[in-house]
Amino acid sequence: MSTNLDLGSYIEDGEGEDLLPTARVSNDPFTPKVEKINIPHTPEELERYRQSEINMIKKNAKNFTEGVDIFKNFQRVDIFKLMPCAGNWAYFNPPNDAQFVSLTNSIEQLGVLQPIILLHNNDEDEMYEILVGHSRYLALKALYTHSHDDKFRFIPAYILSRQEVGEYFIRSMILDSNFSYRDIDQTVLIRALIERYTLIKKSKNYRSESNVAEALANEFLMSRSTVFNYLCLQKLCEEVMVLLLEKRIKLQSARYLSRVNHKTQRMILEKYGIDQINIIHRVKFLTNTSCETEEQMQKKIDIANTLVPFTTNLTITINKDLLGDYMKLNADFNVNAMRNYESKFQRNNSDYYFKVRYSNEDMKCYLEKDYVDAKTLGRVRAKNFAELKNYK
């Protein structure tokens, strides 16, 4: 069964407040075309908007101080009256095929063991938005499509009223429910952490960033230092953050960019290019200091373009009968590297410029059967001339 059941026709691009960045640099080929239309408003309309904002703030504050009774309105709802909530609220990865089949089999045999949570506008609106339980909805829809059995058509649900529940509570609930059972990929984790950070700052009082980090660490089950590492990405300008959330920039590049000011980040994107931004060793050089002018940036770019990685990794697969001769070559190369580079780099450890990795379990077998000798292996592992003396 497929998990991609007619989602595209329902999911909205976004709803409510933008908690994540949307800005793009001018040379981004993925920049959407947006036409702005200025609509004049009467004083009465502006007053209604102002009052609506005040009511929203009061509602969000009340939800977090007094709580929300999620379970007071229970119904069985026709799955054909359900639709996903806005895409910027529920952006977590769907279950993979194996997980979806397992969920579908469970519902077919046992039924829905945990009701979903829906959001309803008012009595005049027939449709309900799915806040929690979208995978269960998909599984029931697949089962009903296959069997036309009405027991799969009506799903048990707790229903929240949009008039009673504010946006911040809803989005916090979606975040918490998804983290209770999903394997989260890194990009979604970054997005969720930043969104949750923003929601906490807006809806609760914390005395310091340290308190916020502790709350996030407890909620996301990670160390405070890891949370701080992710929160440092908030130092990114919006244009870089957009690229990170779209998986067009590596996390390591983003962390280097977070070291410099927003002006420098934008200059790197615009003058060095988005397509170059994941060349890690060059981005590391470009972000060692901030630049105030385009001339300064161009000089750094000219230098960066001459740089090559200091080290690289090679993966070699070799037949057992060639292993002995190959390890002797590695041993001789290690000795030669020490002679030529130990004084140059002032490092008493050859791992800095030459290192061989191998499976200890495999090598133990090869040593037992004399495919390689211990003396040769010792010379490969030696880090300096003092250690080499043990294997002459």
Side-chain angles (χ1 to χ4, degrees), residues 272 281-282 285-286 288 295-308:
Y272 193 51
H281 68 284
R282 292 178 179 172
F285 173 78
L286 291 173
N288 56 13
E295 290 76 14
Q296 291 175 343
M297 176 54 64
Q298 189 58 56
K299 288 180 180 178
K300 294 191 75 170
I301 288 173
D302 292 340
I303 297 173
N305 286 334
T306 68
L307 302 177
V308 298

Side-chain angles (χ1 to χ4, degrees), residues 254-271:
R255 283 180 173 152
Y256 281 131
L257 286 165
S258 71
R259 303 188 305 182
V260 294
N261 60 36
H262 286 187
K263 181 179 179 180
T264 303
Q265 291 177 34
R266 292 188 180 101
M267 280 196 289
I268 291 173
L269 289 180
E270 292 171 356
K271 297 195 64 72

Side-chain angles (χ1 to χ4, degrees), residues 197 200-201 204-216 224 228 231:
Y197 170 86
I200 286 176
K201 296 286 283 188
K204 296 184 180 180
N205 293 322
Y206 284 86
R207 289 172 299 192
S208 67
E209 290 290 309
S210 178
N211 288 346
V212 176
E214 180 146 10
L216 290 171
R224 282 206 314 169
F228 275 121
L231 290 183

